[in-house]
């Protein structure tokens, strides 16, 4: 890896006023390096359309997904069992960068490919029982800059920020219990974005 030219903010402030911790490290690599990673991820990842059952209807999302993890992990939903793919060299590199900055070791990664601003992610929290309770999620972004929104479940208080190319965001503590997050659609965005969320799954 090339040497960093700009200093990374290794102790970013908490963006949430209460009930959780969300920290934005900003860009953790230069733009050229981020562009190289974007191309590698677009080409190397086994992207597939996500399937889900919503209101009894079987739907296939426009957004593409992939799931990589330590050996042996599987995950079931809507009567489908998915097996994790083994880490690629690129993902091992990116996982090491996330772990170095957050001080947490991750054992799985969910990847999302949004082809343009017509694709997004609805309000949700990542509170599946398979995930370590109050654990850390490290979210790395490549490609088009997109808005990331957070909303408290009870008070409805909200905040948002732009996730830049080559940036890192960490969510931890009680964030997934009390806050929802979303990636709103945007007519202005014409370029793809790849997002990686490194997660701590229960063994
Ligand atoms: O694309 C993003 O920044 C958010 C992804 C996300 O929330 C998720 O995969 O659970
Ligand atoms: Fe999420």
């Amino acid at each position: 890896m090339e040497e960093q030219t700009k200093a990374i903010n290794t102790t970013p402030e908490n963006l949430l006023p209460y009930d959780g911790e969300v920290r934005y490290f900003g860009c953790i690599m230069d733009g050229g390096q981020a562009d190289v990673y974007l191309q590698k991820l677009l080409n190397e990842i086994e992207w597939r359309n996500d399937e889900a059952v919503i209101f009894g209807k079987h739907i296939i999302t426009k957004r593409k997904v992939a799931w990589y993890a330590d050996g042996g992990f599987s995950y079931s939903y809507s009567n489908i069992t998915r097996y994790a793919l083994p880490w690629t060299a690129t993902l091992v590199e990116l996982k090491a960068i996330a772990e170095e900055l957050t001080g947490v070791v991750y054992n799985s990664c969910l990847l999302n490919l949004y082809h343009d601003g017509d694709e997004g992610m609805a309000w949700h929290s990542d509170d599946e029982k398979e995930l370590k309770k109050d654990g850390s999620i490290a979210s790395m972004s490549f490609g088009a800059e997109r808005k990331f929104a957070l909303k408290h479940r009870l008070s409805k208080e909200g905040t948002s920020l732009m996730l830049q190319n080559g940036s890192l965001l960490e969510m931890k503590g009680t964030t997934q219990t009390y806050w929802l997050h979303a990636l709103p659609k945007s007519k202005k965005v014409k370029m793809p974005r790849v997002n990686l969320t490194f997660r701590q799954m229960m063994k």
Side-chain angles (χ1 to χ4, degrees), residues 87-102:
W87 297 108
T88 67
T90 304
L91 290 176
V92 167
E93 268 175 48
L94 294 173
K95 187 166 99 73
I97 297 172
E99 289 175 341
E100 161 111 47
L101 286 164
T102 62

Side-chain angles (χ1 to χ4, degrees), residues 54-66:
I54 294 174
F55 300 127
K57 278 203 194 75
H58 182 241
I59 61 146
I60 296 180
T61 60
K62 288 191 282 179
R63 165 174 61 86
K64 288 196 170 178
V65 299

Side-chain angles (χ1 to χ4, degrees), residues 23-82:
R23 297 183 192 271
Y24 186 56
F25 292 81
C27 291
I28 54 163
M29 60 188 77
D30 64 50
Q33 215 177 348
D35 293 342
V36 171
Y37 276 123
L38 174 66
Q39 289 311 316
K40 283 191 184 179
L41 293 165
L42 288 172
N43 295 325
E44 295 173 3
I45 296 298
E46 287 186 39
W47 297 108
R48 54 170 180 73
N49 291 96
D50 202 10
E51 294 171 48
V53 177
I54 294 174
F55 300 127
K57 278 203 194 75
H58 182 241
I59 61 146
I60 296 180
T61 60
K62 288 191 282 179
R63 165 174 61 86
K64 288 196 170 178
V65 299
W67 181 44
Y68 289 74
D70 290 359
F73 276 117
S74 68
Y75 179 74
S76 300
Y77 63 95
S78 307
N79 295 320
I80 306 169
T81 301
R82 299 250 181 248

Side-chain angles (χ1 to χ4, degrees), residues 9 11-26 137 139 146-152 155 157-164 167-172 175 179-181:
N9 179 5
T11 53
E13 56 170 346
N14 185 5
L15 300 178
L16 297 183
Y18 45 81
D19 288 347
E21 268 181 66
V22 174
R23 297 183 192 271
Y24 186 56
F25 292 81
I137 296 179
S139 167
R146 296 283 297 260
K147 185 193 245 184
F148 183 77
L150 289 139
K151 180 170 74 177
H152 193 275
S155 71
E157 187 168 341
T159 187
S160 68
L161 70 154
M162 297 301 290
L163 297 179
Q164 296 163 284
S167 69
L168 181 73
L169 176 96
E170 184 186 18
M171 298 187 273
K172 63 178 177 180
T175 305
W179 295 79
L180 301 168
H181 56 272

Side-chain angles (χ1 to χ4, degrees), residues 110 112 114 121 124 126 139 141 148 163 171 181 183 193 195 197 199:
L110 186 72
N112 287 291
Y114 308 88
M121 200 177 286
H124 71 281
D126 295 295
S139 167
S141 297
F148 183 77
L163 297 179
M171 298 187 273
H181 56 272
L183 196 85
R193 168 175 180 270
N195 174 257
T197 45
R199 296 155 186 256

